[in-house]
Amino acid sequence: MAIRGVHSSVTEIRRKVFTEVARLAYEGGDYAHRIEELPYKIAPGEHSSYRNSIFLERAIVGERLRLAIGLPLRPVEQNEPLSEGIVESAIAEKYYDPPLVNVIKFACNACPEKSVHITEMCQNCLDHPCREVCPRHAISEDIETGKSKIDQKLCVKCGRCVNVCPYHAIVRIERPCAAACGMNAISSDKDGHATIDYDKCVSCGQCLVSCPFGAISDKGQIFQVVHALKQEGEIYAAVAPAFVGQFGPEMTPEKMRAAFQQLGFTDISEVAVGADLCTLEEAHDFIDKVPKKQPFLATSCCPAWSVMAKKEFPQFAPYISMALTPMVLTARRLKKIHPNCKVVFVGPCAAKKLEASRRTIRSDVDFVLTFEEVMGMFEARGVDLVAALPDSDLDDATAAGRGFAVSGGVAKAVVDVIHKIDPNREVKVQASQGLRECRQMMRLAKAGKYNGYLLEGMACPGGCVAGAGTLQPVAKSTALVKKYTSDADKKNALESPYGDMADKLD
């Protein structure tokens, strides 16, 4: 699982890239000339800090800059200028061009694929359980040392030897990005570099935060959002429930409005309000359909989980809730109140970028930014997040909607509504986190093990608080979101003052 909240060289470079792209857009000028200078600003001097060459460092920074602007990677052999295409991207209406998640090949370490190795810590014990449990007899005694050795041609990487070694002397090595990918979408090209099978990829983003070399990155819209903020018109930030604490301990929910207004936003709105509306619709769907019309109902708010389930289990696509996601419901509510406004979803998720680029969603959600990208905007704009920003209350969202950010929160919200409507109704729940666990849940559903159930799927282990665009440790985020949830005056989604809008937003 990828680590969040640890400030490393990779996160430092990412932050600098996002900050400089935001500053470039805010300050304007000759973009083509200025972007060519940015790799020298981010990687200054004559000596490299992280790679074996300062020129390689700058080349990688250059590709990261392009992706952060939403531009494609440059073909290495064509020697295109860094600024290629930037003028065309300096418009507020620019959408993502596929693919969303990209591997910068010359930044990739060409890590080995999954393999099992016996280390020098082997004690040549009399019991040698590693040899006894190997199903392919791939482990034998090294005549020279007396220690165990593995015949890699016979090894099937099952890991049984790893689990039984009393000295923990056997290790299983796997490319980190591939280990994090729940879709088995990452393999090696002819040069050993990571490559993504986009037919399998659902853009969850776990690979990009798991690569220790920072070789994988998704495209961004910071550049386009800042251009929209500089134009006339209303721009609203729809902030996902996982936002609590993401911008530091001083940035309390009450200070969020003032901070975003310093970036140029007209106002902000909690996506937890849309989560309340989503809860109501899914609760009514479950009551109406399960088990009379269908065997189970699966939640739909996580786009990566939803795409995976529909792609790998197409026969169950009708059983995945048709409710609009909280992001879309929040955006539609804002545009109903402010007809000519633009909406920027701010959240933890890379997959939301892909969701918002769908033709059916584009008119609702204009842009998507991650918390990490917004932090770059705060730094570029010079917003002091520790300063005494004025407090103001956010939307009147319930605890149910705010709880969507953590694993199990969506199912709990839906069940609580069902029990309010029908106290005697039994609702069985299975909540899975991480795409591998979600896939297993669907396999069991296919076998009839979850008939009558409400199934919750979250692509990221831990829920939205573990999304690729988050800034703090998952455990800390979970605790802060739960506290913010418990502080809500209204607990059940049925208490939402916006409940009567649900039918009007479909």
Side-chain angles (χ1 to χ4, degrees):
M1 181 175 171
I3 298 173
R4 303 292 191 285
V6 176
H7 194 78
S8 66
S9 57
V10 172
T11 55
E12 175 71 14
I13 293 168
R14 286 172 63 87
R15 180 71 57 80
K16 286 180 179 179
V17 166
F18 294 148
T19 300
E20 292 305 327
V21 166
R23 183 176 287 121
L24 180 68
Y26 272 121
E27 294 179 356
D30 183 354
Y31 295 126
H33 175 71
R34 292 186 61 201
I35 193 174
E36 299 288 352
E37 297 176 338
L38 289 182
Y40 296 87
K41 181 178 181 180
I42 295 172
E46 298 180 1
H47 303 287
S48 61
S49 299
Y50 311 114
R51 307 275 179 169
N52 58 11
S53 163
I54 187 65
F55 304 106
L56 178 60
E57 277 191 18
R58 288 175 183 149
I60 294 169
V61 166
E63 297 308 307
R64 296 194 72 92
L65 286 165
R66 287 181 60 82
L67 292 173
I69 291 173
L71 294 169
L73 296 173
R74 294 173 295 171
V76 176
E77 65 278 3
Q78 293 183 15
N79 198 28
E80 292 179 351
L82 182 58
S83 59
E84 180 68 28
I86 191 172
V87 175
E88 293 81 1
S89 287
I91 56 173
E93 292 76 21
K94 180 77 168 59
Y95 288 100
Y96 294 106
D97 297 318
L100 177 65
V101 181
N102 298 260
V103 179
I104 304 172
K105 295 290 184 176
F106 49 86
C108 177
N109 188 54
C111 301
E113 294 191 1
K114 186 186 295 184
S115 58
V116 179
H117 301 269
I118 298 176
T119 70
E120 294 181 354
M121 294 305 296
C122 174
Q123 301 298 304
N124 188 25
C125 60
L126 182 63
D127 201 28
H128 49 71
C130 56
R131 302 178 207 172
E132 302 299 336
V133 301
C134 180
R136 296 294 298 275
H137 306 293
I139 304 178
S140 60
E141 181 183 349
D142 187 315
I143 297 175
E144 293 183 4
T145 65
K147 298 184 178 184
S148 293
K149 65 177 182 179
I150 297 177
D151 184 339
Q152 295 296 337
K153 294 179 181 178
L154 295 176
C155 179
V156 292
K157 291 85 175 174
C158 66
R160 292 183 187 180
C161 58
V162 177
N163 297 329
V164 299
C165 178
Y167 297 102
H168 306 288
I170 308 177
V171 296
R172 179 164 47 189
I173 298 174
E174 186 175 4
R175 165 178 269 145
C177 57
C181 178
M183 297 300 293
N184 300 318
I186 298 180
S187 58
S188 298
D189 64 15
K190 60 182 178 61
D191 297 315
H193 297 127
T195 186
I196 299 174
D197 183 343
Y198 292 107
D199 290 332
K200 295 180 179 179
C201 177
V202 294
S203 300
C204 68
Q206 290 299 300
C207 60
L208 69 91
V209 290
S210 297
C211 175
F213 289 86
I216 308 178
S217 183
D218 59 339
K219 291 177 180 175
Q221 284 184 305
I222 303 172
F223 201 60
Q224 292 75 24
V225 168
V226 174
H227 274 281
L229 293 172
K230 290 165 66 176
Q231 297 173 2
E232 292 185 4
E234 296 178 306
I235 312 288
Y236 286 82
V239 185
F243 77 89
V244 192
Q246 292 292 339
F247 303 110
E250 303 296 329
M251 180 52 61
T252 62
E254 293 76 22
K255 298 185 185 300
M256 290 284 287
R257 174 171 281 112
F260 272 78
Q261 286 175 337
Q262 288 197 30
L263 292 178
F265 286 94
T266 306
D267 205 348
I268 69 171
S269 178
E270 281 191 83
V271 174
V273 169
D276 282 332
L277 302 183
C278 179
T279 298
L280 295 175
E281 187 168 345
E282 291 190 345
H284 285 106
D285 278 351
F286 187 91
I287 292 171
D288 178 58
K289 297 177 180 177
V290 180
K292 292 179 290 186
K293 300 177 182 178
Q294 59 191 58
F296 61 83
L297 179 72
T299 60
S300 63
C301 57
C302 172
W305 134 255
S306 179
V307 170
M308 182 280 289
K310 292 175 181 176
K311 182 178 293 189
E312 299 202 2
F313 302 89
Q315 69 272 37
F316 294 143
Y319 305 155
I320 298 171
S321 174
M322 295 298 292
L324 295 173
T325 64
M327 175 182 76
V328 177
L329 286 166
T330 303
R332 287 194 178 183
R333 172 180 166 269
L334 285 169
K335 292 198 171 186
K336 191 171 186 65
I337 300 170
H338 312 282
N340 298 315
C341 77
K342 290 185 181 295
V343 176
V344 181
F345 175 81
V346 177
C349 182
K352 284 291 181 185
K353 296 180 178 183
L354 206 61
E355 180 188 351
S357 68
R358 297 174 191 161
R359 288 195 180 96
T360 54
I361 307 297
R362 284 184 180 182
S363 60
D364 301 312
V365 182
D366 299 278
F367 309 99
V368 173
L369 295 176
T370 65
F371 297 135
E372 189 180 21
E373 290 168 336
V374 170
M375 181 61 89
M377 292 175 65
F378 280 134
E379 293 191 5
R381 197 64 168 162
V383 178
D384 187 353
L385 300 179
V386 184
L389 296 169
D391 288 357
S392 62
D393 292 331
L394 295 182
D395 296 307
D396 200 6
T398 74
R402 291 177 177 178
F404 265 50
V406 298
S407 178
V410 180
K412 182 182 185 305
V414 174
V415 170
D416 286 349
V417 169
I418 293 172
H419 285 163
K420 275 281 189 180
I421 296 172
D422 185 357
N424 298 319
R425 179 71 176 263
E426 180 187 8
V427 185
K428 297 178 181 179
V429 170
Q430 176 61 39
S432 296
Q433 49 184 307
L435 288 171
R436 288 190 176 90
E437 190 176 301
C438 288
R439 184 183 291 105
Q440 179 61 17
M441 176 175 70
M442 292 302 290
R443 290 194 187 107
L444 292 173
K446 182 179 180 180
K449 302 295 185 182
Y450 291 136
N451 287 349
Y453 273 68
L454 174 67
L455 305 182
E456 177 195 299
M458 288 282 191
C460 298
C464 300
V465 290
T470 55
L471 293 162
Q472 64 180 349
V474 177
K476 182 178 180 181
S477 291
T478 301
L480 289 172
V481 168
K482 287 184 175 180
K483 182 183 184 304
Y484 186 54
T485 296
S486 66
D487 291 342
D489 294 330
K490 300 177 177 66
K491 305 301 181 185
N492 194 291
L494 284 169
E495 302 173 61
S496 171
Y498 311 103
D500 59 349
M501 293 189 70
D503 294 337
K504 303 173 184 177
L505 300 178
D506 288 337

